[in-house]
Amino acid sequence: MCSLQQAHLVPKCPHADLFNNRGRAWLERRGLPDDERAAIARRIREIDRLAEDLVDLDGDIARDAIDDPRVGRLQTITGVNAVVATGIIAAIGDIHRFREPQKLVSYFGLNPRVRQSGLGIAQYGRISKHGRSHARAMLVEAAWAAAKAPGPLRAFFLRIRNKRGHQVAAVAVARKLAVLIWHS
């Protein structure tokens, strides 16, 4: 889509999404040749078809999630909804393969990197990001939701945010969520 816009010197869409109603109306007003309009129309039809497929898949996942007791347990954690719970369960598999919560935290890549040589002082850095990136992203999204809800996770988020910033605080809450998931 961007190559078509650039080829015809069409500026960047001023709306957040080129394919929502406002973005499509904006695109329609651009002066493009008929063959380019046909190509855009084909791509938009494909996007709409894929969106319908996603709605069907979301319904299937929701029906399966209702019957799974693990999903219900995870949803009791602040910030974790059915989508996050189902995704985490799919990423983890059997929770009993992790002997302690730190192993699960490492599996998600939410543990800090440690640099240490011999008996020297350990230096802790950013998170390792080794492991399941999609599951880590879901936990961070759940952490943002937990940070908005009143409770101990929000208090923890605010305390870390005041010291280290909001991004670091969200990742710290995500790590705490991984520990809570292990304990649930």
Side-chain angles (χ1 to χ4, degrees):
M1 212 43 96
C2 290
S3 62
L4 291 176
Q5 287 177 280
Q6 290 173 352
H8 296 285
L9 301 176
V10 174
K12 186 177 180 213
C13 179
H15 306 292
D17 185 4
L18 182 61
F19 300 107
N20 66 10
N21 291 337
R22 289 183 356 181
R24 289 179 186 195
W26 176 86
L27 190 59
E28 195 64 33
R29 291 190 301 269
R30 302 299 121 208
L32 295 174
D34 290 338
D35 60 333
E36 302 291 350
R37 286 187 184 281
I40 291 171
R42 281 193 304 274
R43 290 186 178 134
I44 288 175
R45 280 194 307 272
E46 182 66 16
I47 288 170
D48 291 341
R49 187 191 63 76
L50 291 172
E52 290 172 8
D53 290 349
L54 285 175
V55 168
D56 292 342
L57 287 172
D58 284 343
D60 292 343
I61 290 171
R63 279 188 290 283
D64 291 342
I66 288 172
D67 297 334
D68 194 341
R70 299 175 299 172
V71 172
R73 259 194 323 272
L74 290 183
Q75 284 183 306
T76 62
I77 300 171
T78 304
V80 177
N81 61 18
V83 174
V84 171
T86 305
I88 296 298
I89 289 171
I92 292 174
D94 183 17
I95 191 78
H96 298 294
R97 65 191 182 113
F98 300 101
R99 288 181 281 124
E100 55 190 29
Q102 300 311 319
K103 301 289 183 184
L104 183 61
V105 169
S106 281
Y107 182 74
F108 290 131
L110 291 168
N111 55 330
R113 291 183 179 187
V114 180
R115 290 186 307 178
Q116 183 176 14
S117 179
L119 299 175
I121 298 173
Q123 296 177 337
Y124 295 94
R126 300 179 184 273
I127 62 171
S128 68
K129 292 189 180 179
H130 293 139
R132 298 286 191 130
S133 61
H134 289 83
R136 182 173 54 251
M138 282 191 284
L139 280 175
V140 171
E141 287 301 317
W144 283 111
K148 293 177 184 172
L153 288 174
R154 177 175 170 73
F156 177 74
F157 173 84
L158 293 174
R159 190 171 65 245
I160 300 297
R161 186 188 70 181
N162 291 337
K163 293 179 187 174
R164 308 274 316 272
H166 63 277
Q167 295 289 348
V168 174
V171 172
V173 172
R175 183 186 175 287
K176 215 171 245 317
L177 286 174
V179 172
L180 288 171
I181 287 169
W182 187 85
H183 284 289
S184 66

